[in-house]
Amino acid sequence: MPRAALHAVLSNSSITVQEHRLRALGLLDRFEAVLCAAELGVSKPRPGAFLAACEALGLAPHEVAYVGDHPEIDGRGAAEAGLLSVWIDRGTSPARDAGDVVVHRIAGLSELPALLRSDTRFGAPSTFG
């Protein structure tokens, strides 16, 4: 039986700012962890920031999908840390070649469930039976 999804926020902002935003939106209680660079002592795109989020969720990097809106800071950073990297391309950042890392590109969050279902780590049936 699949386990319930866990959610975290990883931000280069401060915990005070992020918690205020999430509380104002009525979303704070939807996250198991809120991690911010000021308190972590490491910021995105450094692998340590992404690995701290994985640790807070009790998951290995290969079990985590990271969704962000910046192709380098979020996209490349998450991929290089070993997470499934998803970039929400809303047309505000120029497209860049990610080089040797895989960054999945979506236009909006409505595309995320299909992307996750297509990956064996997140719901697709294994082809190795």
Side-chain angles (χ1 to χ4, degrees):
M1 178 160 79
R3 64 181 171 197
L6 301 174
H7 303 89
V9 171
L10 176 61
S11 174
N12 280 348
S13 183
S14 73
I15 194 78
T16 304
V17 169
Q18 285 308 312
E19 284 186 348
H20 175 75
R21 285 180 184 164
L22 294 169
R23 194 173 290 108
L25 293 168
L27 298 174
L28 183 59
D29 64 342
R30 294 188 182 208
F31 296 94
E32 283 73 27
V34 178
L35 298 102
C36 296
E39 291 74 23
L40 285 175
V42 62
S43 61
K44 301 179 294 179
R46 298 215 188 276
F50 296 96
L51 297 176
C54 294
E55 185 176 325
L57 294 173
L59 298 169
H62 72 274
E63 297 176 295
V64 176
Y66 184 87
V67 181
D69 63 357
H70 193 280
E72 289 293 318
I73 295 170
D74 296 317
R76 178 181 278 285
E80 289 180 346
L83 288 68
L84 176 78
S85 178
V86 182
W87 169 37
I88 299 178
D89 181 3
R90 295 188 176 120
T92 57
S93 297
R96 296 188 177 101
D97 177 17
D100 60 345
V101 297
V102 176
V103 177
H104 299 276
R105 190 174 177 175
I106 60 174
L109 287 175
S110 63
E111 296 176 36
L112 186 59
L115 174 65
L116 295 179
R117 279 193 303 271
S118 71
D119 190 299
T120 57
R121 293 171 287 179
F122 302 100
S126 174
T127 58
F128 297 104

